[in-house]
Amino acid sequence: VAEAWGKAEEDLSLLYVWNFGVASTDRKRGIGQQVMEWLQSSETSRARVEGVDGIFLFVYRTNRPAIMLYEKLGYEVVASWQDPKWLKQAEKNLTGVERKILMIKKL
């Protein structure tokens, strides 16, 4: 990831979007897009958090609407990630293994 910015990994400063979602009753109204655009705007991200190189997030591979939104906003898929919690449950036949995709946007 750091190579894309031409920096050493320890010098890379990324903002992590964690556990973001829109209530099912409020979807398809542009709320998610508005929040993400606010987050990545220069008035918020760059001015408030000096030196942030980009924003990253994880999204479930099966969440196509979210992936399409993030791609529309300029995020790129960097890697897949497997949650160890899901793996343990899958080993006990409690659930299938969900896979997450790591997406990053350069600011």
Side-chain angles (χ1 to χ4, degrees), residues 2 6 15 19 29 36 38-39 41 45 51 53 58 60 63 67 91-92 95-96 98 103:
L15 180 66
N19 212 15
R29 294 174 40 194
M36 294 304 293
W38 173 83
L39 177 70
S41 71
S45 294
D53 297 302
F58 290 102
Y60 284 108
N63 191 348
I67 294 168
E91 288 168 4
K92 296 177 184 175
T95 184
E98 287 285 339
M103 298 185 79

Side-chain angles (χ1 to χ4, degrees), residues 6-25:
K7 291 186 170 190
E9 196 164 313
E10 60 271 9
D11 295 331
L12 193 59
S13 178
L14 297 172
L15 180 66
Y16 178 27
V17 176
W18 181 66
N19 212 15
F20 170 68
V22 176
S24 59
T25 55

